[in-house]
Amino acid sequence: MTYEAHYRVWRGDDEKGELVDYKVEVNEGEVVLDIIHRLQQTEAQDLAVRWNCKAGKCGSCSAEINGRPRLMCMTRMSTFTEDEVITVTPLRTFPVIRDLVTDVSFNYTKAREIPSFAPPPDLEPGEYRMQQVDVERSQEFRKCIECYLCQNTCHVVRDHEENKENFAGPRYLMRVAELDMHPLDVADRVDEAQEEHGLGYCNITKCCTEVCPEHIKITDNALIPLKERVVDRKYDPLVWLGSKIFKR
Ligand code: SF4
Ligand code: F3S
Ligand code: FES
């Protein structure tokens, strides 16, 4: 079954641009990225869009569809009515390079600010032993495809450019939590989370969790436990001392 959809797509860059209307063919089973590709093949051949896998796994095709942050390749056209105007705009939190392509280097900067996995210095290769329960805990976080939809959605930076310097965002606070929960990591993550990565800015609104295409419980399983660790340390000096001596 084929019909003609009404698309409204952002054309331009950070300086100037506008929403442009298109009428475009839609076939059964198609997703928003198919329609964007059809536009590229027909009346908007210079339309810039970033994508790679078309399978929800590379995290490249993030955009805002009718104002909602989503992966274009995982958004089925069947979720819209045929007479609905479908507006596709670039991620709002990052500078637009052109059309639907944004400069997401903010996220790379934040990733570099987190010290990497730090096992005890005397541990030899081959001595890394973990309980299955610890493996499973971090496996959820490792499902992240770095689509940055959570980073784009969090209100701490979405409307507040000035917070970007001091706030790592949900994806990278989750990385801090993952490392802090790792039984072999001996770095001091808890103080850093608060002082360097801006954990205190998060007021657990859970918007990040809502948009995660991997359904990672970012707030409940990473951010809240990390906050609890900060509070435990702050109010219980014995917990703090114990964490220093026994490292969990
Ligand atoms: Fe995307 Fe989820 Fe990873 Fe955030 S945590 S970057 S929403 S996959
Ligand atoms: Fe932002 Fe998620 Fe916290 S949306 S405020 S990081 S719960
Ligand atoms: Fe890879 Fe959409 S194209 S996630």
Side-chain angles (χ1 to χ4, degrees), residues 154-156 170 202-208 219 223:
C154 177
H155 67 95
V156 174
C202 165
N203 54 354
I204 55 175
T205 55
K206 299 197 184 188
C207 314
C208 51
T219 321
L223 306 185

Side-chain angles (χ1 to χ4, degrees), residues 168-180:
R171 194 272 168 264
Y172 293 105
L173 287 168
M174 179 175 87
R175 173 72 178 146
V176 175
E178 180 196 337
L179 289 167
D180 197 61

Side-chain angles (χ1 to χ4, degrees), residues 181-225:
M181 291 174 194
H182 197 298
L184 297 178
D185 187 89
V186 294
D188 182 1
R189 308 277 173 188
V190 171
D191 284 346
E192 276 201 359
Q194 194 74 358
E195 285 155 25
E196 310 286 328
H197 308 303
L199 179 63
Y201 283 81
C202 165
N203 54 354
I204 55 175
T205 55
K206 299 197 184 188
C207 314
C208 51
T209 304
E210 269 174 38
V211 296
C212 178
E214 286 293 318
H215 307 293
I216 303 170
K217 293 198 167 59
I218 308 169
T219 321
D220 286 356
N221 291 350
L223 306 185
I224 292 175

Side-chain angles (χ1 to χ4, degrees), residues 92-128:
R92 186 166 110 194
T93 304
F94 311 121
V96 180
I97 297 174
R98 191 157 69 89
D99 302 335
L100 300 177
V101 177
T102 52
D103 175 0
V104 293
S105 54
F106 161 76
N107 301 287
Y108 309 144
T109 304
K110 295 298 161 184
R112 280 195 295 269
E113 286 172 1
I114 296 167
S116 54
F117 173 58
D122 53 348
L123 206 65
E124 298 291 335
E127 291 179 355
Y128 287 45

Side-chain angles (χ1 to χ4, degrees), residues 9-244:
V9 183
W10 174 260
R11 304 299 314 269
D13 55 28
D14 236 14
E15 305 278 290
K16 60 178 180 359
E18 60 180 344
L19 288 167
V20 178
D21 290 290
Y22 300 100
K23 289 284 167 111
V24 54
E25 180 190 310
V26 177
N27 301 305
E28 197 161 353
E30 288 185 329
V31 294
V32 168
L33 187 61
D34 290 315
I35 311 307
I36 294 294
H37 283 161
R38 183 159 299 122
L39 280 174
Q40 275 187 327
Q41 289 154 14
T42 54
E43 45 185 320
Q45 296 190 355
D46 59 345
L47 173 63
V49 59
R50 189 185 280 131
W51 70 286
N52 205 312
C53 68
K54 202 171 172 270
K57 286 296 160 214
C58 74
S60 307
C61 69
S62 302
E64 304 204 355
I65 303 168
N66 288 352
R68 198 177 156 78
R70 310 189 61 134
L71 296 177
M72 285 188 275
C73 72
M74 298 303 284
T75 306
R76 292 191 170 279
M77 284 303 297
S78 57
T79 56
F80 306 103
T81 57
E82 292 187 10
D83 57 355
E84 201 170 342
V85 179
I86 298 167
T87 305
V88 187
T89 49
L91 297 179
R92 186 166 110 194
T93 304
F94 311 121
V96 180
I97 297 174
R98 191 157 69 89
D99 302 335
L100 300 177
V101 177
T102 52
D103 175 0
V104 293
S105 54
F106 161 76
N107 301 287
Y108 309 144
T109 304
K110 295 298 161 184
R112 280 195 295 269
E113 286 172 1
I114 296 167
S116 54
F117 173 58
D122 53 348
L123 206 65
E124 298 291 335
E127 291 179 355
Y128 287 45
R129 298 278 186 274
M130 282 174 74
Q131 299 285 327
Q132 187 59 26
V133 64
D134 291 319
V135 174
E136 280 160 13
R137 196 189 295 132
S138 64
Q139 253 169 1
E140 181 188 14
F141 307 139
R142 305 290 288 190
K143 286 193 303 180
C144 173
I145 57 170
E146 306 221 297
C147 64
Y148 306 131
L149 288 176
C150 58
Q151 300 283 94
N152 170 64
T153 305
C154 177
H155 67 95
V156 174
V157 285
R158 187 168 172 91
D159 293 312
H160 298 280
E161 189 67 28
E162 70 279 10
N163 288 340
K164 280 189 176 168
E165 195 181 334
N166 299 317
F167 184 63
R171 194 272 168 264
Y172 293 105
L173 287 168
M174 179 175 87
R175 173 72 178 146
V176 175
E178 180 196 337
L179 289 167
D180 197 61
M181 291 174 194
H182 197 298
L184 297 178
D185 187 89
V186 294
D188 182 1
R189 308 277 173 188
V190 171
D191 284 346
E192 276 201 359
Q194 194 74 358
E195 285 155 25
E196 310 286 328
H197 308 303
L199 179 63
Y201 283 81
C202 165
N203 54 354
I204 55 175
T205 55
K206 299 197 184 188
C207 314
C208 51
T209 304
E210 269 174 38
V211 296
C212 178
E214 286 293 318
H215 307 293
I216 303 170
K217 293 198 167 59
I218 308 169
T219 321
D220 286 356
N221 291 350
L223 306 185
I224 292 175
L226 196 55
K227 278 176 174 287
E228 284 169 350
R229 286 167 185 235
V230 171
V231 171
D232 283 351
R233 179 174 295 186
K234 203 165 166 191
Y235 296 108
D236 188 342
L238 283 179
V239 169
W240 179 83
L241 191 63
S243 75
K244 283 283 179 205

